[in-house]
Amino acid sequence: MMRIDLHIHTSPRSACSYIDPLELIQKARRLKLDGICLTEHQVLWDIGGVEKLAREGGIRIFRGNELTTNQGDILVFGFYKDIKELLMIQELREEVKTAGGFMIAALPFRGFKTFGIGQLQMTVEQASKRKVLEFVDAVEVGNGKLSPDENDMARNVAEKLGLPGTGGSDAHRVDEVGNWLTVFEKDIRNERELVEEFHAGRFTAISNHQ
Ligand SMILES: [Zn+2]
């Protein structure tokens, strides 16, 4: 079993983050996480940099990427193309599929209470019709930056659609690291195995609030 924080931003690769990679590793080790994923905004770490960090820190580190599309933010794994521009979701889906990668709808229902018309709140039924959900392999059902209501909506929608759910802190500050995790059933040694376990669906999201 492996407990991994799947969604973390570090500085300076994500301009909005205050997390120094070395501090991140110390924190992850204090929390006894088995691994962390670096998911910067439109920036992919080079493998050499990640391997060095992992070796020095004594923790497994995997690379992802958080890409902006016309249908919201997507966490991608096993997809190593350097993308800087906004993508159409269909286009990203095709490219990631060809690469054998995995796509997760990140914080899909952030602010959903304001999506409705007037006093009418969005129902699970309506929410599950969001276009982005047709193009992903999984839904982020636990995001540390969202309210319990927003995460619950994502979980209900994922269940309704039969999509698996992931958890990650979306940390931009070190104290946020590890508050949501994805637990994998198997030991994962590298990014290839991470993607395999994603496709096999052998994972669940857990809240890990201290
Ligand atoms: Zn993020």
Side-chain angles (χ1 to χ4, degrees):
M1 199 182 83
M2 277 191 98
R3 292 157 74 243
I4 299 178
D5 187 338
L6 219 61
H7 188 166
I8 302 173
H9 297 276
T10 64
S11 173
R13 286 175 177 79
S14 288
C16 49
S17 173
Y18 296 93
I19 302 177
D20 174 79
L22 294 173
E23 272 182 88
L24 165 62
I25 287 168
Q26 286 167 6
K27 171 78 184 202
R29 290 187 56 141
R30 268 203 305 280
L31 294 173
K32 298 193 165 42
L33 303 185
D34 299 300
I36 48 177
C37 292
L38 301 172
T39 54
E40 316 296 358
H41 293 287
Q42 322 270 130
V43 176
L44 196 59
W45 276 70
D46 63 287
I47 188 70
V50 168
E51 282 173 354
K52 183 168 179 282
L53 205 58
R55 216 168 32 244
E56 289 169 359
I59 187 165
R60 304 247 168 102
I61 307 178
F62 309 108
R63 292 172 299 163
N65 203 343
E66 186 166 23
L67 298 176
T68 307
T69 75
N70 62 325
Q71 295 293 327
D73 290 349
I74 306 289
L75 292 172
V76 295
F77 291 90
F79 180 65
Y80 300 107
K81 192 168 164 188
D82 187 27
I83 286 172
K84 300 291 176 215
E85 71 278 18
L86 182 139
L87 289 174
M88 295 293 118
I89 188 82
Q90 293 92 333
E91 200 185 326
L92 179 65
R93 176 78 233 183
E94 275 172 35
E95 292 211 34
V96 172
K97 204 170 179 178
T98 305
F102 196 80
M103 283 170 65
I104 303 164
L107 31 85
F109 297 106
R110 174 172 50 186
F112 81 92
K113 288 195 163 170
T114 59
F115 295 169
I117 305 157
Q119 299 304 305
L120 294 176
Q121 227 176 66
M122 186 182 251
T123 63
V124 173
E125 180 74 34
Q126 291 165 332
S128 62
K129 296 202 171 91
R130 283 201 64 194
K131 197 174 169 67
V132 65
L133 300 163
E134 296 168 29
F135 298 94
V136 292
D137 302 296
V139 178
E140 189 177 53
V141 300
N143 176 299
K145 306 293 268 187
L146 297 193
S147 69
D149 281 350
E150 290 166 324
N151 281 326
D152 286 350
M153 178 58 100
R155 185 178 290 272
N156 291 335
V157 165
E159 276 172 14
K160 182 172 170 56
L161 295 173
L163 287 169
T166 65
S169 64
D170 201 2
H172 287 69
R173 300 162 55 103
V174 102
D175 57 303
E176 296 166 341
V177 172
N179 57 17
W180 273 92
L181 301 174
T182 302
V183 181
F184 291 86
E185 293 171 26
K186 291 195 171 179
D187 187 45
I188 295 170
R189 291 165 300 186
N190 52 49
E191 289 167 7
R192 187 183 52 78
E193 290 182 354
L194 175 67
V195 173
E196 265 174 34
E197 291 310 296
F198 270 135
H199 282 299
R202 288 187 282 259
F203 59 87
T204 45
I206 60 157
S207 164
N208 188 43
H209 288 82
Q210 304 299 304

